[in-house]
Amino acid sequence: MRISTTIFLTDETITPVRLARELEERGFGGLYLPEHTHIPVERTTPYPAGGELPPEYGRTLDPFVALGQAAAVTSRLGLGTGITLVAQHDPIDLAKQIGTLDHLSGGRFTLGIGFGWNKEEAADHGVDWATRRELGRDRMALMRALWAGEPTAYKGEFGAVRASHAYPKPAGGAPRTLIGGAAGPKLFSQIAEYADGWLPIGGRGLTESVPVLRETWEKAGRDPSTLQVVPYAVLPSPGKLAHYAELGVEEVVLQLPPAGEAEVLGVLDEYAQYV
């Protein structure tokens, strides 16, 4: 099983360069980074985990800049977002960022996408909360048109692009794409439609939900062997990882603390038993 990691990298934590080098030297599979452009102070949206919102949410580094640094000092480490809030981006700009990062890293990028929880953050980006999933789907389709091998036009409900020359392209025509979110028919339908798999936070309830996703996947005409389920932000134990393996999981993303170098490297020492 491939063991990857995620962390809220901030201006106060271990640096992307130091962490990426340590991960590759220790044999970890990948580094996934979250995204929040800003956290409005006047916020009515509750923190999904309950309680006060941890301060690192308002201090996150831009994931693409940080992953670019990580790519420059590694050669094997997988690089990903967990997750990119696609609806909050200009899709033409985002397609260029993704194509560039994937090209410069030698095809190591995984695009984890999601639809967010912070209504105020999304609103500042001009996102209508009720249609954010449809907007994300539309923006993914527009980006895929820009990544196509030949100039391809796209016109959707929320955006359009002319047939264009747009290089570099991601390896294979598009990066591996995983969608995050809670289990449900709408999410599973979108995964089966345009993604490579699911990025479930914490990995709870997979015994019940993975068979449902597999059924949706196969009904959409997708090859059953290609579905990827990647439990995300997991606090590991041997029993938990063994259970994931029984479900056919081939990669798990372990949570690192948003801390300084000494603490993060200490946790990597603890996680070394799983690599």
Side-chain angles (χ1 to χ4, degrees), residues 2-9 19-20 23 28-35 61 63-64 66-67 70 77-84 108-113 176-179 198-199 228-233 250-256:
R2 181 182 178 189
I3 303 297
S4 297
T5 61
T6 184
I7 182 175
F8 276 86
L9 285 180
L19 177 58
L23 288 171
F28 286 87
L31 172 63
Y32 291 74
L33 299 180
E35 169 182 62
L61 302 184
F64 292 96
L67 290 170
L77 187 71
L79 309 164
T81 54
I83 47 77
T84 296
R108 288 186 276 150
F109 180 66
T110 291
L111 176 61
I113 70 169
R176 181 176 72 144
T177 301
L178 305 172
I179 303 181
W198 184 26
L199 203 63
Q228 300 176 47
V229 176
V230 182
Y232 189 80
E250 297 180 351
E251 180 182 10
V252 176
V253 182
L254 307 185
Q255 181 70 61
L256 294 172

Side-chain angles (χ1 to χ4, degrees), residues 167-209:
Y167 290 86
K169 310 289 187 185
R176 181 176 72 144
T177 301
L178 305 172
I179 303 181
K186 182 175 289 188
L187 179 76
F188 287 175
S189 176
Q190 290 201 329
I191 291 171
E193 180 185 356
Y194 65 83
D196 299 297
W198 184 26
L199 203 63
I201 294 178
R204 293 181 180 176
L206 295 186
T207 302
E208 295 77 27
S209 55

Side-chain angles (χ1 to χ4, degrees), residues 34-197:
E35 169 182 62
H36 282 288
T37 53
H38 66 301
I39 301 294
V41 174
E42 295 184 1
R43 178 174 55 85
T44 60
T45 309
Y47 175 43
E52 293 296 319
L53 183 69
E56 60 265 22
Y57 278 74
R59 308 189 74 105
T60 54
L61 302 184
D62 178 277
F64 292 96
V65 175
L67 290 170
Q69 284 199 330
V73 297
T74 58
S75 60
R76 303 180 306 278
L77 187 71
L79 309 164
T81 54
I83 47 77
T84 296
L85 297 164
V86 174
Q88 296 181 185
H89 286 266
D90 178 300
I92 299 174
D93 286 342
L94 183 58
K96 175 66 74 173
Q97 286 178 284
I98 291 169
T100 300
L101 178 56
D102 195 68
H103 170 71
L104 293 177
S105 67
R108 288 186 276 150
F109 180 66
T110 291
L111 176 61
I113 70 169
F115 308 104
W117 59 268
N118 191 327
K119 295 181 180 180
E120 289 77 18
E121 178 185 357
D124 284 349
H125 285 278
V127 175
D128 178 358
W129 191 252
T131 60
R132 71 193 188 284
R133 291 178 182 272
E134 290 72 23
L135 175 60
R137 175 181 177 275
D138 191 77
R139 289 187 169 169
M140 284 298 302
L142 189 153
M143 290 195 295
R144 288 182 182 275
L146 288 169
W147 295 330
E150 299 295 331
T152 302
Y154 175 78
K155 183 173 180 57
E157 180 180 357
F158 298 95
V161 67
R162 296 172 175 84
S164 304
H165 299 291
Y167 290 86
K169 310 289 187 185
R176 181 176 72 144
T177 301
L178 305 172
I179 303 181
K186 182 175 289 188
L187 179 76
F188 287 175
S189 176
Q190 290 201 329
I191 291 171
E193 180 185 356
Y194 65 83
D196 299 297

